[in-house]
């Protein structure tokens, strides 16, 4: 099952992230693909806001993960762009973040290789002439339920 949306501005990307937060089931793993500057972190900011986060949303480019443990569900925002070796994910205990309750959002999943959990949803942001286009692909029941709610929202 898949879903597409045209996103014309940064504000619309934040709003899409918030809609996604409302549609998503706790425990979901989401891969976020797209080139540098596509809007992955902007979408992540909207998602954190949608889950109730008021403060800033930093890009976890150097820390690899930014935890939002005050939210319910808890959000873990990964950015694997600077990951040296996919094996590092094993040492940092990536699998412990995938606990069936938290939302795990992963920018640059292609850097994580076989060490990543299977995603419920894969979002790809493409840069277009008039903004961005998001394609969402669901591969589990939780992912499909999310896309159904997203379409209706
Ligand atoms: P990424 O995390 O994919 O590298 P960022 O979210 O950090 O990308 O940056 C996206 C940049 O593109 C921001 O500077 C944002 O203002 C800009 N931008 C312009 N149009 C859009 C749009 N339609 N959606 C999201 N970001 C946009
Ligand atoms: Mg980013």
């Amino acid at each position: 099952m898949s879903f597409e949306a045209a996103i014309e501005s940064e504000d619309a990307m934040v709003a899409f992230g918030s809609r996604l937060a409302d549609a998503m089931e706790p425990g979901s793993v989401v891969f976020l693909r797209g080139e540098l500057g596509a809007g992955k972190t902007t979408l992540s900011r909207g998602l954190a806001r949608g889950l109730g986060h008021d403060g800033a949303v930093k890009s976890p480019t150097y820390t690899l993960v930014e935890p939002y443990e005050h939210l319910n569900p808890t959000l873990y925002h990964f950015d694997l762009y600077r990951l040296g070796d996919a094996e590092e994910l094993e040492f940092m205990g990536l699998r412990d973040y995938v606990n069936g309750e938290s939302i795990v959002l992963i920018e640059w999943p292609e850097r994580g290789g076989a060490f990543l959990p299977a995603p419920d949803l894969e979002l790809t942001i493409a840069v277009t002439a008039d903004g961005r286009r998001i394609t969402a692909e669901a591969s589990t029941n939780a992912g499909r339920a999310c896309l159904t709610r997203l379409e209706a929202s």
Side-chain angles (χ1 to χ4, degrees), residues 44-95:
S44 303
R45 173 154 45 97
L47 197 139
R49 294 267 163 78
L51 294 175
H53 178 67
D54 290 330
V57 171
K58 315 183 250 186
S59 179
T61 306
Y62 293 94
T63 52
L64 296 181
V65 60
E66 185 68 31
Y68 295 88
E69 290 181 322
H70 57 296
L71 300 178
N72 182 20
T74 306
L75 168 66
Y76 294 108
H77 177 202
F78 285 83
D79 181 344
L80 305 184
Y81 185 65
R82 294 195 180 270
L83 187 69
D85 186 330
E87 214 173 320
E88 273 178 55
L89 291 175
E90 202 80 294
F91 300 128
M92 69 184 286
L94 174 89
R95 281 171 201 280

Side-chain angles (χ1 to χ4, degrees), residues 12-22 42-48 50:
M13 187 64 88
V14 173
F16 181 85
S18 292
R19 267 175 76 199
L20 189 63
D22 289 339
T42 305
L43 190 159
S44 303
R45 173 154 45 97
L47 197 139

Side-chain angles (χ1 to χ4, degrees), residues 32-46:
L32 202 40
R33 302 181 193 275
E35 63 190 57
L36 271 180
K40 301 180 294 300
T41 300
T42 305
L43 190 159
S44 303
R45 173 154 45 97

